[in-house]
Amino acid sequence: AQKVTQAQTEISVVEKEDVTLDCVYETRDTTYYLFWYKQPPSGELVFLIRRNSFDEQNEISGRYSWNFQKSTSSFNFTITASQVVDSAVYFCALSEAAGNTGKLIFGQGTTLQVKP
Amino acid sequence: DTGVSQDPRHKITKRGQNVTFRCDPISEHNRLYWYRQTLGQGPEFLTYFQNEAQLEKSRLLSDRFSAERPKGSFSTLEIQRTEQGDSAMYLCASRTGFGTEAFFGQGTRLTVV
């Protein structure tokens, strides 16, 4: 069964702190993609990153970094030196190759509040 | 092209009424998806179109829901005999291929009173 779990419902940090958002996934497929999306208060989902199941290289983009570990089925997201503008709901999502629909299975989301 | 567009942004309807939402995907995207998001939850998949063909429907999509994508361009999602449980944000997304980024619209927030 395909499933994405974001165990942290809400996280509150003070500006400039580092914060890690956890994501654990379940899939029987060997070919799949993992995504992170940001949903600010305006409601539109904003794409952050995509990773395929064959590429376990970690990635850094500015203050954002992602740690993909197939051994633990995790795809964690770290924000370094958080800023108030990072406050949003963050979703991890899984897309399997089976069926070739490309539908996204989302976790429940983690609400991040960055206080000044 | 400015992205995925959804109309209306907000809809308030009385229980039992029918509503229809529209999604205009990015023009070169052949894959189109509808999702539903309730408060405090992640989006849940409803249905998928490849061009004009509806290739998958979720069990969430009851008989009261119908979606179309005539000519493989815009899509409509209709809910008949709305119920209070249908109150949610309805999101549309489009993409070019399986592993590519999905672009989301701003959603239609439905409130059934």
Side-chain angles (χ1 to χ4, degrees), chain B residues 38-108:
Chain B
T38 53
L39 201 61
Q41 301 295 316
E44 295 174 293
F45 169 76
L46 291 179
T47 191
Y48 159 65
F49 289 86
Q50 186 160 330
N51 299 310
E52 67 276 7
Q54 187 175 21
L55 298 184
E56 185 171 345
K57 293 193 291 186
S58 163
R59 288 171 298 179
L60 293 175
L61 217 63
S62 76
D63 292 343
R64 298 184 296 106
F65 288 69
S66 62
E68 294 183 339
R69 192 184 182 195
K71 302 178 183 178
S73 55
F74 70 92
S75 176
T76 58
L77 177 68
E78 181 184 14
I79 309 175
Q80 296 182 327
R81 304 181 303 282
T82 52
E83 302 173 354
Q84 285 189 323
D86 297 331
S87 295
M89 175 78 87
Y90 290 84
L91 295 163
C92 177
S94 70
R95 69 203 304 191
T96 53
F98 155 61
T100 61
E101 171 188 352
F103 291 81
F104 282 81
Q106 290 185 301
T108 295

Side-chain angles (χ1 to χ4, degrees), chain A residues 31-33 35 37 39 42-45 47 50 91 95-109, chain B residues 4 9 31 33 35 37 40-45 48 50 55-56 89 91 95 98-106:
Chain A
T31 303
Y32 53 89
Y33 281 84
F35 299 81
Y37 280 85
Q39 189 173 43
S42 60
E44 186 172 350
L45 283 158
F47 168 80
R50 172 188 69 229
F91 291 98
S95 184
E96 295 178 329
N100 196 30
T101 67
K103 66 185 178 188
L104 292 169
I105 305 300
F106 286 86
Q108 289 189 306
Chain B
V4 179
R9 293 287 310 280
R31 294 174 180 242
Y33 305 81
Y35 292 85
Q37 185 179 20
Q41 301 295 316
E44 295 174 293
F45 169 76
Y48 159 65
Q50 186 160 330
L55 298 184
E56 185 171 345
M89 175 78 87
L91 295 163
R95 69 203 304 191
F98 155 61
T100 61
E101 171 188 352
F103 291 81
F104 282 81
Q106 290 185 301

Side-chain angles (χ1 to χ4, degrees), chain A residues 4 8 37:
Chain A
V4 175
Q8 304 150 307
Y37 280 85

